Each structure stands twice: as C-alpha cells, then as structure tokens.
Amino acid sequence: KGFVAKTELKKIPILRNWMEHMNCVFMDRKDLRQSVQTIIEGIKVIKKGNSLVIFPEGTRSKGNQMGEFKGGSFKLATKPQVPIVPVTIKGSYKAMEQNGNKIKPADIEIYIHPMIETANLTKEETDALPDKVKSVIASKLD
C-alpha cells in the first residue's frame, strides 16, 4: 500500500499528503538515527496490516546493474515476520536516467516472484536473506 521514500519528497506539499495517506514512511539516508526510527515506524505500519514497498539498494538504479542491498531494510519484514515478495523491475532506467533525467516512454518489464517467508528464520537464514532476495531479483535481469 505504501513505500519507504526519501525524506526530500516530504517537501512537495501535494505529494507529501498523498504519500502520508498511503502510509508511506520517510527516510533521511544521511541520518543513521533517523533511519532506525523510520524502520521502527515502518514496522508499526506493517503490523497494522499494511504493505510497504522498499528499494533495498536505497536509491534508483542508474543502469541495468543492481547496487548493494542494505541489510537493515530487511528488518521491515523479519521483525514482524511477514513475507517478502521480490519484484524485478527491468529497464526502468530507460525512462529517465538514460535520457538525461528527462522522462520519456520506455519498455519496462516487471516480474513478481513467489513470496519468501520470514517467519521462524534462523539467524543464518536472516543474515542470508538480502543475498537470497537479490539473487531472485537478478534472475530476471539477464
């Protein structure tokens, strides 16, 4: 229903209202303490029965390569023990970044993968979760 967004989007009045209505949570990527608070707030949103979309790289991809996943973002699923539904978005950079940040039409493929349960994971499985999800997402980027 909502997603984790960069805090800069709160400065756009109409967008901010719409995003708050959707139960989005805002993260200041430069402030570690505030990032932890955002994860706590996100867990509360999830426990109320809402879904949150996260971009575990912490930013938009500028090309066809994925960046490193931030392990802390997975706490949004592992703490409340809710499933993760990996989604591959292939070619989104063609709509903007490839065009000097001007939005243009582009063919974009979206793959919705089977969910990954997070309930009752061992510590080792929890630690391996970011790599597992990244591998699933990357499987459609060939």
Side-chain angles (χ1 to χ4, degrees):
K1 195 170 176 179
F3 54 96
V4 178
K6 60 184 178 180
T7 195
E8 292 85 356
L9 295 175
K10 285 178 87 170
K11 297 175 183 172
I12 306 170
I14 294 172
L15 183 62
R16 176 187 59 231
N17 295 343
W18 174 73
M19 292 175 74
E20 287 173 348
H21 181 71
M22 285 180 41
N23 296 308
C24 294
V25 292
F26 298 92
M27 180 175 287
D28 183 350
R29 295 176 290 185
K30 298 174 194 145
D31 183 342
L32 184 59
R33 175 177 260 134
Q34 194 278 333
S35 295
V36 170
Q37 194 59 38
T38 299
I39 290 174
I40 293 168
E41 184 181 337
I43 290 169
K44 289 177 185 175
V45 167
I46 290 168
K47 284 185 175 182
K48 289 180 183 175
N50 297 296
S51 298
L52 279 180
V53 175
I54 66 164
F55 296 90
E57 296 167 285
T59 188
R60 291 177 49 88
S61 298
K62 306 298 186 228
N64 206 28
Q65 300 298 317
M66 284 193 300
E68 285 303 310
F69 281 16
K70 312 283 190 234
S73 62
F74 287 86
K75 288 183 168 86
L76 286 166
T78 57
K79 293 290 184 190
Q81 297 190 347
V82 295
I84 294 172
V85 180
V87 176
T88 302
I89 304 172
K90 183 176 178 180
S92 63
Y93 69 94
K94 296 175 189 174
M96 193 166 88
E97 285 79 13
Q98 182 174 288
N99 306 307
N101 289 330
K102 293 180 182 167
I103 298 174
K104 302 234 173 156
D107 290 329
I108 299 171
E109 298 174 38
I110 299 175
Y111 300 94
I112 301 171
H113 301 276
M115 71 178 176
I116 299 171
E117 290 290 346
T118 66
N120 306 313
L121 294 179
T122 64
K123 178 168 177 11
E124 292 77 22
E125 291 169 327
T126 300
D127 292 345
L129 195 56
D131 289 336
K132 180 177 182 177
V133 173
K134 186 174 183 178
S135 175
V136 169
I137 292 171
S139 71
K140 294 294 185 181
L141 290 177
D142 47 341

